[in-house]
């Protein structure tokens, strides 16, 4: 991988931070959150950001954080669950009970070791659901700690 432009330097700490203010409809069964609207921080060489979340290219200890503001279309419980590929990250879960048309902000974060093998790169993402609605804002970040 070419890693020598701007802050994409192997000697810099890897960090990605993105936000998206575009409206995103979601269904009760769950819809992945699109994080890539504006990429605020893009340093180091261990991470990439795409619409579906973050790609981890180097093994290490990572701090992952998602803030999602959503408007529910019905009463119920809005959920936000983080995933590594298709496996739920148990400490990266948040929920809130809402009435129809309530606006709620959910925050979830975790610190986790992510191993990377030579045959693929893990993807970190989050799914919002529980009730149908619209995501109004998402801000997500991942930082390689060690």
């Amino acid at each position: 991988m070419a890693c020598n432009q701007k802050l994409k330097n192997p000697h810099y700490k890897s960090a990605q931070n993105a936000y998206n203010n575009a409206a995103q409809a979601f269904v009760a069964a769950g819809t992945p959150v699109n994080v890539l609207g504006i990429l605020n921080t893009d340093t180091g060489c261990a991470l990439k950001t795409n619409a579906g979340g973050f790609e981890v290219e180097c093994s290490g200890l990572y701090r992952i954080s998602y803030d999602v503001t959503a408007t529910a279309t019905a009463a119920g419980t809005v959920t936000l669950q983080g995933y590594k590929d298709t496996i739920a990250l148990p400490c990266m879960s948040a929920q809130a009970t809402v009435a129809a048309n309530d606006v709620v902000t959910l925050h979830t974060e975790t610190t986790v070791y992510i191993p990377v093998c030579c045959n693929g790169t893990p993807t970190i993402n989050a799914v919002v659901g529980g009730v149908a609605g619209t995501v109004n804002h998402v801000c997500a970040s991942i930082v390689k700690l060690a």
Side-chain angles (χ1 to χ4, degrees), residues 56-60 62 113-122:
V56 179
E57 298 189 346
C58 297
S59 297
Y62 290 89
Y113 178 79
I114 301 174
V116 177
C117 298
C118 56
N119 62 351
T121 55

Side-chain angles (χ1 to χ4, degrees), residues 54-138:
F54 303 104
E55 291 179 39
V56 179
E57 298 189 346
C58 297
S59 297
L61 183 66
Y62 290 89
R63 181 76 168 176
I64 307 160
S65 172
Y66 273 77
D67 288 294
V68 174
T69 301
T71 304
T73 55
T77 302
V78 177
T79 61
L80 180 64
Q81 175 65 56
Y83 289 87
K84 177 184 156 281
D85 296 323
T86 59
I87 308 297
L89 296 168
C91 291
M92 200 173 156
S93 179
Q95 63 183 27
T97 303
V98 295
N101 299 315
D102 274 359
V103 176
V104 63
T105 298
L106 297 173
H107 171 80
T108 185
E109 64 181 274
T110 191
T111 301
V112 63
Y113 178 79
I114 301 174
V116 177
C117 298
C118 56
N119 62 351
T121 55
T123 298
I124 302 297
N125 69 347
V127 172
V128 63
V131 298
T134 303
V135 170
N136 308 311
H137 170 78
V138 59

